[in-house]
């Protein structure tokens, strides 16, 4: 059983007040890029791994999905997700991504936002995702970028020259990282970009697109305090596919 | 015409004394991993982009290649490469990778070591490489890792805690970087990992494997002073293929 920080009451209250929790997809600055990795949703069977409050599940349903299954480890989050919709085409499942399995060839889109860095056995999950995808099925996910998760001391440092730099170390040493995020002692799994790509390939997926997300120049213009965020990528977004040729 | 630093005499003399210049592939610590990305060489038609002193060309010929073409911008380097072999199956071509073109479907392996970060128009070159590959042809290259090339001040910093960190900034701002390497004012092109992967995809390649190279734990044991090099990857190595399914 992995750490289930989302059912820690103190964490849950703080998490619930984040922009992405209150405003959903529109509160997530990486959403426009993540959305650009998705196929046309109409008539797709969608699986959301780490669905949280169900924002993406409801968005997919509104975008014309045939059915949506949202999986999460947190009772608190699924309770809220269920309260937010009466739509019977959305099914919420309480399960641990390290032990869950899926029906074969049952989904056209497997989606996961900022969840896979909590999964211990990613090779196993990628194999199960690949098996669950229908022909031409797509797997789209975001994780914290390894550059964010690697360091011993993940906070901006200012050089004598005045430049704010991200103090990278331990990048090549994969494994758990204990970070203080909202509460102390949150455990995430650090893996390199190469590992994400190679595990996808090994599990049979074709890589369609990789994005290293930071705010766009337009977003920085609207939020000048974000300028420093272009010094290193914050999220890693990946689109992969079950067949050999990537569609656009 | 790009900067041709390798025909700068001062640079050339210093470059010539590097371990990888004197000892060839065995003097390059990333060679074992790079070699693991290569197909079996026997009977392949090989193209080496940025062949330098021709170490890889001669290695490929000795490994049973059918023919080898080495391309480089530097007269100095090609002169030495030609002096080192009598093998008529190796052809050396003086050309600029930003303007050269290749015959269609003519190579089974296109190889490039630490050269593509000098190329200005990488989308054009990737298109030409894809066109030059025979069915099941493979494209294997190494570049300086974007984490190495991005920073304003690319040198280790020591935090108050005593940890050596790599001061990352400007990662998302692609473009030329002027670095002082052997001589002052060497110009290299900074591109993100995502850009390398996406440009390969856009030009038709399938991504087979990505490696972010730093010394292995075994290499660190042999050379304890390399331990700090595991704090960030030094080289990006990529294997791609012209057909849709990657062979092993």
């Amino acid at each position: 059983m992995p750490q289930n920080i989302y059912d820690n009451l103190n964490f849950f209250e703080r998490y619930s007040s984040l922009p992405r929790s209150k405003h959903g997809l529109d509160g997530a600055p990486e959403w426009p890029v993540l959305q650009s990795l998705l196929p046309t949703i109409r008539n797709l069977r969608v699986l959301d791994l780490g669905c949280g409050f169900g924002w993406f599940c409801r968005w997919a349903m509104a975008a014309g999905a045939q059915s949506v299954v949202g999986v999460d480890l947190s009772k608190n989050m699924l309770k809220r997700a269920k309260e937010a919709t009466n739509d019977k085409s959305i099914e919420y499942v309480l399960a641990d991504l390290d032990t869950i399995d899926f029906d074969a060839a049952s989904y056209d889109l497997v989606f996961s936002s900022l969840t896979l860095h909590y999964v211990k056995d990613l090779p196993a999950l990628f194999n199960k995702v690949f098996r669950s995808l229908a022909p031409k099925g797509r797997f789209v996910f975001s994780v914290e970028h390894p550059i964010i998760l690697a360091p011993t001391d993940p906070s901006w440092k200012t050089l004598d020259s005045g430049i704010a730099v991200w103090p990278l170390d331990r990048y090549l040493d994969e494994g758990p990282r204990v970070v203080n995020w909202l509460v102390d002692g949150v455990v995430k799994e650090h893996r390199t970009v190469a590992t994400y790509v190679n595990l996808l390939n090994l599990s049979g997926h074709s890589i369609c697109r990789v994005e290293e997300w930071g705010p766009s120049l337009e977003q920085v213009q609207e939020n000048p305090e974000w300028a420093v965020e272009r010094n290193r990528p914050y999220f890693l977004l990946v689109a992969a596919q079950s067949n050999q040729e990537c569609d656009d």
Side-chain angles (χ1 to χ4, degrees), chain A:
Chain A
M1 190 74 174
Q3 185 191 44
N4 175 10
I5 194 72
Y6 289 84
D7 279 343
N8 168 315
L9 192 62
N10 192 10
F11 179 94
F12 186 72
E13 276 179 10
R14 292 178 190 207
Y15 181 84
S16 299
S17 68
L18 293 178
R20 66 178 63 229
S21 300
K22 290 198 293 187
H23 307 297
L25 304 173
D26 292 332
E30 77 281 14
W31 170 241
V33 179
L34 190 54
Q35 190 176 0
S36 76
L37 301 184
L38 297 172
T40 306
I41 299 294
R42 181 155 297 282
N43 293 327
L44 300 190
R45 294 158 296 171
V46 177
L47 174 64
D48 182 1
L49 303 178
C51 65
F53 295 138
W55 288 104
F56 180 79
C57 294
R58 295 193 294 282
W59 175 86
M61 214 61 229
Q66 185 185 120
S67 62
V68 179
V69 177
V71 177
D72 210 284
L73 183 64
S74 159
K75 281 182 195 171
N76 282 338
M77 301 194 82
L78 285 186
K79 184 166 176 286
R80 288 239 199 136
K82 287 176 188 169
E83 286 167 1
T85 184
N86 288 318
D87 194 327
K88 299 293 182 206
S89 308
I90 306 181
E91 179 189 356
Y92 288 110
V93 177
L94 182 72
D96 172 1
L97 294 181
D98 270 311
T99 53
I100 195 174
D101 205 351
F102 316 111
D103 290 337
S106 301
Y107 299 101
D108 306 298
L109 170 64
V110 177
F111 176 84
S112 180
S113 170
L114 302 181
T115 299
L116 301 183
H117 47 243
Y118 294 112
V119 171
K120 306 270 181 227
D121 191 350
L122 200 62
L125 182 62
F126 278 9
N127 284 334
K128 291 187 278 190
V129 166
F130 184 75
R131 196 176 147 270
S132 80
L133 286 171
K136 295 211 167 199
R138 191 166 272 214
F139 181 24
V140 175
F141 66 84
S142 66
V143 288
E144 273 191 31
H145 197 288
I147 286 173
I148 295 294
L149 215 40
T152 309
D153 183 356
S155 61
W156 293 107
K157 307 297 171 197
T158 308
L159 300 184
D160 291 344
S161 56
I163 297 171
V165 299
W166 186 250
L168 187 60
D169 72 336
R170 300 203 294 169
Y171 183 87
L172 294 173
D173 293 315
E174 301 186 297
R177 294 292 189 271
V178 180
V179 295
N180 300 327
W181 178 57
L182 305 183
V183 298
D184 287 356
V186 178
V187 180
K188 301 182 184 180
E189 294 295 322
H190 168 60
R191 300 175 177 97
T192 66
V193 173
T195 290
Y196 281 108
V197 169
N198 294 337
L199 288 181
L200 282 170
N201 261 323
L202 285 171
S203 53
H205 299 85
S206 300
I207 310 297
C208 299
R209 215 169 107 205
V210 171
E211 294 290 339
E212 297 180 287
W213 187 88
S216 66
L217 294 173
E218 293 69 30
Q219 285 174 315
V220 169
Q221 233 170 5
E222 283 171 35
N223 310 274
E225 73 280 12
W226 289 2
V228 71
E229 297 291 331
R230 291 189 56 83
N231 280 346
R232 46 96 178 106
Y234 203 93
F235 300 121
L236 177 69
L237 316 182
V238 182
Q241 204 157 297
S242 61
N243 57 315
Q244 289 161 24
E245 194 163 9
C246 296
D247 303 320
D248 289 330

